[in-house]
Amino acid sequence: TISSTAEKVVYLVVFHLSFVMFVWSYGKTIFTSPATPSNEFCLSKADKEQYEKEERPESQQEILRRAAKDLPIYTTTASRAIRYCDRCQLIKPDRCHHCSACDVCVLKMDHHCPWVNNCVGFSNYKFFLLFLMYSLLYCLFVAATVLQYFIKFWTNELPDTHAKFHVLFLFFVAAMFFISILSLFSYHCWLVGKNRSTIETFRAPTFRNGPDKNGFSLGCSKNLREVFGDEKKYWLLPIFTSLGDGCNFPTRLVIMDPEQLAVSSQNEPAKSSVANQSFPTRPLSESQNRLLSGDCQWVETGPEEENVKSGAKKHIIVSLES
């Protein structure tokens, strides 16, 4: 009949489309090389030699601080030191971590996934999300189409052949993968909405004012566009559309008077200034770098607190509504 023929056509189209998108996203996640920091984060030959000769951590930090004064970094280690990778011999950009499996520093590293044998980071995080989504839809499609035969199996309406065990196996495999992938996909959707990586969930990035797990969050809408881009027509396609270069990320750090802290939640201009913060394309100067603008060492106390007590402005972190 015409109706049965149309149903078969729709079935085949949906099946092949979901399978193609699943394989495409999976392949892009596997074969996309992890993005690594640019050469501007590497120490010069002279600084590298001097760094290796120094034995005192304080002197090494001074070398790193001098080399990082023009770099767009906002985060430090928990001990207020500049994040440096001895293995790759470079200053780590914000949200960058060294992967022991890949033996490279990966920009905006989320985790190393054994299912794809690759690091999931800035270069392929969108592909990984689409891989989870299309695999989820694919498992749902398979389970839904086999469901009617699964019901017939339990009601003894299915012919007694070897195929009925195949139906039972296929349904259980699709259902189990659907449940497990659904939990993982939901978790990463939550991470995208909060603009966090898996690493940042377990260890919050440390800014000048201390650890802040929401330091890179700009609101759910902007967080979503940071991963998927501004062009919505490309969101569901496994092509790279993420914003930025993986080294520079907008933060919620703003400069304002500490006396206005009590009313900062009602200060719309302050919110809009953070919301409109764009992705820098070039390194920040020392005066613009909020992390390296201090004259002293990487400590919580110092002359800056005295300036604050005298009424000077300081950096604070403003809470934004997601």
Side-chain angles (χ1 to χ4, degrees), residues 11-25 130-131 133-139 141-142:
Y11 173 84
L12 291 175
V13 170
V14 174
F15 175 81
H16 286 93
L17 181 61
S18 59
F19 181 75
V20 168
M21 298 303 293
F22 162 73
V23 174
W24 188 7
S25 303
L130 292 180
F131 158 65
M133 185 185 72
Y134 287 121
S135 59
L136 185 67
L137 294 177
Y138 186 67
C139 291
F141 180 76
V142 172

Side-chain angles (χ1 to χ4, degrees), residues 269-307:
K271 289 183 179 181
S272 61
S273 64
V274 180
N276 294 329
Q277 193 173 6
S278 59
F279 290 82
T281 57
R282 292 179 296 179
L284 302 178
S285 64
E286 185 174 6
S287 60
Q288 293 173 315
N289 193 325
R290 300 189 181 102
L291 189 62
L292 300 175
S293 59
D295 295 331
C296 298
Q297 298 178 352
W298 298 77
V299 293
E300 299 186 43
T301 59
E304 184 183 3
E305 292 189 355
E306 298 178 0
N307 294 334

